[in-house]
Amino acid sequence: MLKNPLPAFSRRLATFPLVMRFDPLIIPLERAVRRISNDRFGVLDIAGQPSIQITVPGRKSGIPRTTSLLYVPEDDDILLVGSNWGRPKHPVWSANLAAAVTATVQIRGEEFETSIEALTGAERDKAWQYAIEVWPGYQMEYELAEGREFRLFRLRRLPRS
């Protein structure tokens, strides 16, 4: 049986700084793929990587904001890294997530509620090491961000009420 080469290829490709210049193309492409697929999958899914849509209220407006992101599966939990393509500033979604208690997550069409935990200290360090094992591009993005410490979050599925 043939193994899909895209996950290994996309993981390797993500370690090259040149890839970060393509975000103006990737973001609209992501929106288009999400629209065509009725939000079941995005560009990262096509590349064989774990993709998530997260909805959280804006910290100032309270208006729900949805963002498509790469995530790091950690057993039954979800790790999110606020890398912002290696830019010097934190991504807006991470500030909204830090201000929220819960978030709505959608993975391949399945929607569920999660709790949000901002990781710090030794727990953050351990999660960071795991995240760069799963997605080596985070290390390159960290170097591009000139030492900005990325926000790391753990999301845990809440029981259905």
Side-chain angles (χ1 to χ4, degrees):
M1 186 166 173
L2 293 175
K3 185 176 177 185
N4 182 353
L6 286 177
F9 175 74
S10 61
R11 284 182 71 225
R12 178 74 178 120
L13 186 64
T15 64
F16 294 97
L18 177 66
V19 172
M20 297 302 107
R21 293 186 181 163
F22 289 97
D23 75 316
L25 299 173
I26 294 171
I27 293 169
L29 181 60
E30 170 71 16
R31 288 185 185 123
V33 171
R34 290 270 176 199
R35 195 173 319 112
I36 291 166
S37 72
N38 266 350
D39 286 331
R40 286 189 308 270
F41 58 89
V43 172
L44 288 167
D45 297 299
I46 293 169
Q49 299 303 327
S51 175
I52 189 174
Q53 280 196 295
I54 183 163
T55 303
V56 65
R59 69 191 179 289
K60 294 178 184 175
S61 69
I63 297 169
R65 307 287 183 189
T66 300
T67 306
S68 296
L69 301 167
L70 172 76
Y71 75 95
V72 178
E74 183 192 47
D75 299 320
D76 292 332
D77 297 337
I78 295 165
L79 289 179
L80 295 178
V81 178
S83 66
N84 201 21
W85 297 79
R87 292 186 180 106
K89 292 186 178 183
H90 292 291
V92 173
W93 66 261
S94 71
N96 291 339
L97 202 60
V101 176
T102 62
T104 302
V105 166
Q106 186 174 346
I107 300 175
R108 292 207 172 247
E110 179 191 7
E111 191 172 284
F112 53 93
E113 293 294 312
T114 65
S115 63
I116 303 164
E117 177 186 8
L119 301 179
T120 60
E123 190 173 19
R124 185 204 176 280
D125 295 342
K126 184 179 175 184
W128 171 249
Q129 289 306 311
Y130 179 67
I132 60 175
E133 283 176 33
V134 173
W135 189 253
Y138 285 139
Q139 183 62 46
M140 178 268 304
E141 291 179 49
Y142 175 74
E143 291 163 12
L144 286 174
E146 300 175 352
R148 172 177 61 84
E149 185 174 271
F150 296 162
R151 293 174 176 154
L152 255 65
F153 300 92
R154 178 175 291 121
L155 278 55
R156 288 204 167 99
R157 186 185 293 246
L158 294 172
R160 293 197 186 260
S161 47

